[in-house]
Amino acid sequence: MNELMNLAVKLTICLFGWSGLLFSAPAEPEPVPVRLHVTSQETDHSSPWKRTRESARAGYGCVISPGRILTTADIVKDATMIKVEKRGEKRYYQGRVEVIDYDVDLATVSVEDESFFNDLSPVELAETVELDQPVQFLVFAEPDRIRAIPGAIVKVSVEEYYLSPDRFLTFGAAVNFEDRGGGWSEPVVAGGELVGLTMTYDGQRQYAVIIPAAIIRRFLPEIKPEGYAGFPDPGFFSVPTRDPAFRKFLQLPDNGGGIYITSVYPRSSADGVLEAGDVLLAVDGRPLDLEGYYEDTRWGRLDYRDLFTRFYSPGDRVKLELVRDGETVKLEMVLRRWLLSDYLIPPYSGREPTKYLIVGGVIIQELTRDYLREWGNQWVRRGNKKLLYHNYYNSRRIGPGRERVVLLNRVLPDEVNLGYQGLEDLVLAEVNGRPIGGIEDVAEALRFPEGEFHRFRFEEFDREIVFRAADLEEADRRIADQYEIPRLRLLE
Amino acid sequence: MRKLLVSLVCGSVLLPLLSVFALEEDEIPRIRSAIVKIKNVSQRPDYASPWLEKDFSLGRGSGVIIPGNRILTSAHVVSDSRYLEVEKEDSGTPYGAVVSHIGHDCDLALLEVLDPEFFADTTHLDFHREIPPLGSMVEAYGFPAGGRRITVTRGVVSRIDYALYNHSARDYHLVVQIDAAVNPGNSGGPALREGKIVGIVFQGVQPSENVGHVIPITVIRHFLEDLTDGRYDGYPDLGIITANLLNPAYREYLGLPEGKTGVAAAAVLEGHSAKGFVLPGDILLAIDGNPILNDGTILIDGESYFLEEVVERKQVGEEVALDLVRDGEEMIIPLLLRSGRETLRTGNEYETRPEYLIFGGLLFQPLSREYLQAWSDDWSSRADPRLPYYFSYYNQDRIYLERPEIVVLSRVLPAPVNQYYSDLSLEVVERVNGVKIRGLADLEEAFARPAGDYHLIEFDGAGPPVVLDAAAAEAEHATILQRYRIPADRHLAGPAKPVPELPESNLMGSRENE
């Protein structure tokens, strides 16, 4: 009751504050959103030397510390220009992405003209949020005011994030953005504190997913002078152990918890520590139930991945308790971040440009999810079945010697590639007899022709194509000219 | 021939309706008495519930009487038959018939009529010697849409090329395309020229208009010759995946002698005629003395064909000679032609019962085209990508080395023993009780030896394993079958069998299909 009263008071104050007429300063500092107008341009993954047409989007952010704006990674991804705007000023400031973490979908933006921050005080992160607690989504509204759209937290759970398949803590909120649409990183506040940033909004269900303050609180300290350290990743796949027969088979007690590790991905935190077939019982003394939930003091049952990601930094040690071959074992695991470069098939493109190499008109590049997305909206259904299979099942599994799946994308027709012109979407196995595990291997192998020839062998039917080494220089020049390709290779 | 053939030559050649050949009108009554109407009641197994038969369906088609009181028709008109009858035009009297031979790879079948009286007032038609030339006129006879009276349509031969035979959805043979209007029910009826059979009408091409496909005389002759020993063996298959040698650098690299042409053998498929005789990297120069051009074609009587055409015209058991270069040496390799045997069934299946095995309520089936089709018509885009990948890259990526037969856990018939796994479906089985599963038969053996008190079923990929209490699985087995009304817990065809011989008493037969 008291709380409600408080809230009502705050609301009133806010309204007056926004009108800016009656009171020049509210009783306590209210979080103020800033608006980001982003122009972005992506690589055309089917013609990687080209960029797609630029596109514009607008989203929100808020000042999180002096000189630093917090927003979501998806708002500023692939930005070519960021215009920052604040309420009450009809001018733009130039923003620049400082740190971006695609996994937790967060980014910070700095502003060239530091006077931008003069009258903006950093928001405080909310300590906690309860289920059913009312919150407000802050947006810009005409004319020159800030509107607080009411909503309520209805769910706390660990979910896949927007850009990456990794799972982190989220809040689900019931909210109605009405005709304006939402999901553009709107700050979510309660009691004058930042509860989180809006990640996605489903207008039909009137449901928003929020990146909670708890994740933001872990994100900020990882921004260190020596670089951004990121979030740790547990590094394994698991399944529940609900079935009593399965539990008996694993020699687990009837009344206990634990999850069964189905695979450990190489180079991950768990590589060399956990083994497929282990049953993980507890993480730093917190027991996991048989579906992989632990009991959070605040929010109740949460997926165990939250334990690894929300309470530790990369480099931290974590104590694990598990059952291996019927014996209880205690182990320590050093947590590490799973980097984009660790993926066999990266689920998103980072800030580095897409690598490619064009030789004899053959476009060679690495398989990424963005490459598959070139099949259009329905790429999951329409794309090449082999590439989809790898994306679906092998995205994290890196075999020795194979950093990436290297593809023949397609062939730019020229007399030098007569007979090869219909080839597309083949997986490159070898160049000049050297195994190919990444696109750099192709460049390296091309330094060593087999006699007078360059030979490419593909996985499919062991199909080969051959070029005369002496022909390539002229052919490549001709192809670059004919197809207006500024650079025939981009590897850095 | 099984190869993706893409041809973009001549869409259609329209010739003025010159009376190249005028059908003498007194010929028509004779022809009419050789055309029959076929009615087939067929029933197909339900690959989604492989112990069940689907509802029966009634199909109608046409056929032609050929010498020896036999009726030639299309296989799809009479396949999976439960009841078959033939009728002459205007007679009003149906006669019972049986399929004496059927070739699903060439969509042809021969029928016998049980009562010889049937042929009392009929004639037969003879075969023409030649494929009708491009631009010539042919007439299609038949009973489209099941009509009572015969229909004749006339059209121009608009194209002669390889095309997929939809009945098997796997085999490519030569097809004569005509622009006569042919419709469902025309199937199995003859296309005539100069009063003689030049082909059997068998499929249309949607959505094109006025495109009818006719099985040419070469394919019919192949079918009939194949039968002279009393059984149908089907087409032999070389099983060579070739790479063109259009690129001069590639030719030079492989050491193709100056002035010669040919193609490279990229891969040789398991279980096919060339396996073990032709090696990857060989350059094929000629087939039975016909020089192979760099794009993989040959010339026969001045016409261009794919090199496989030589094999298309031969029977299983005959030989073909390949001139090739291996390691710089020219040699001639004689090959005994065998019918290509596939472990993964990539075509439609007929006259068969699907294989399956049920254990602890878990339904296991081998991956096949029929299986995927039964799951969804749109399987290639809807299924989890593992199955479409294994299916379509089986040969390309040598999936068969690991899994000659891809055994799938189709779904779970819920029961107490499997209650924690009832949502599992479309998982590829990797191991059962520690035994690597390379075929449905392995499963049978693996379940006979539980791992202690449990059966452990592991799947391809990172999915959860299934653990079944061995005692419970055994105790519940009969109950599960009873509860879901399943007559038998398994149907396994046994080891790879030769081409099935069909007992004459077996009624075979069709679907409502053009």
Side-chain angles (χ1 to χ4, degrees), chain A residues 237 239 242-246 248-249 260 262-263 381 384-386 388-389 392-393 416-420 450 452-453 455 459-464 466-468, chain B residues 241 243-244 246-250 252-253 266-267 269 378 380-382 384-386 388-390 393 395-398 420-421 454 456 462-465 467 469:
Chain A
F237 293 117
V239 294
R242 281 182 62 189
D243 177 15
F246 188 33
K248 269 192 212 130
F249 175 81
Y260 179 83
T262 53
S263 63
R381 301 174 119 213
N384 174 291
K385 297 304 163 204
K386 176 175 177 172
L388 283 176
Y389 164 78
Y392 201 79
Y393 286 106
V416 77
N417 53 43
L418 197 68
Y420 312 148
E450 293 185 329
E452 295 167 40
F453 301 98
R455 182 174 59 92
E459 278 183 7
E460 296 79 6
F461 282 133
D462 280 327
R463 176 74 211 257
E464 286 181 340
V466 170
F467 294 103
R468 209 180 279 115
Chain B
I241 305 297
N244 73 63
L246 293 169
N247 195 288
Y250 197 21
E252 199 184 317
Y253 171 82
L269 301 182
D378 200 15
S380 112
S381 59
R382 293 179 48 134
D384 169 320
R386 187 190 306 271
Y389 167 57
Y390 282 0
Y393 281 78
N395 284 321
Q396 289 191 56
D397 280 2
R398 295 181 198 75
Y420 291 93
Y421 306 104
Y454 303 96
L456 175 66
V467 171
D469 184 296

Side-chain angles (χ1 to χ4, degrees), chain A residues 86-193:
Chain A
K86 61 178 171 180
R87 186 182 61 92
E89 260 191 72
K90 290 290 165 210
R91 63 160 290 200
Y92 293 129
Y93 295 78
Q94 291 300 308
R96 200 174 56 82
V97 175
E98 251 187 350
V99 172
I100 184 162
D101 184 332
Y102 302 88
D103 293 326
V104 290
D105 197 10
L106 289 173
T108 60
V109 172
S110 61
V111 178
E112 246 167 58
D113 180 352
E114 286 183 1
S115 69
F116 174 82
F117 294 99
N118 281 349
D119 51 350
L120 291 170
S121 44
V123 296
E124 293 294 324
L125 291 175
E127 201 51 52
T128 181
V129 169
E130 304 295 331
L131 271 176
D132 300 322
Q133 181 176 333
V135 292
Q136 293 152 314
F137 292 74
L138 302 184
V139 297
F140 277 29
E142 294 300 328
D144 196 25
R145 64 183 190 87
I146 285 162
R147 218 183 124 207
I149 298 173
I153 303 295
V154 295
K155 188 177 173 187
V156 180
S157 61
V158 177
E159 307 286 344
E160 252 180 41
Y161 265 36
Y162 185 66
L163 294 168
S164 131
D166 286 348
R167 288 158 194 264
F168 302 95
L169 188 73
T170 64
F171 294 152
V175 59
N176 183 1
F177 279 99
E178 290 158 6
D179 60 334
R180 55 192 308 132
W184 303 106
S185 195
E186 296 84 358
V188 187
V189 298
E193 291 173 338

Side-chain angles (χ1 to χ4, degrees), chain A residues 369-387:
Chain A
R369 198 167 296 180
D370 281 340
Y371 180 81
L372 284 165
R373 287 199 179 97
E374 295 292 343
W375 264 269
N377 272 342
Q378 297 269 306
W379 65 274
V380 179
R381 301 174 119 213
R382 290 223 191 98
N384 174 291
K385 297 304 163 204
K386 176 175 177 172
L387 306 187

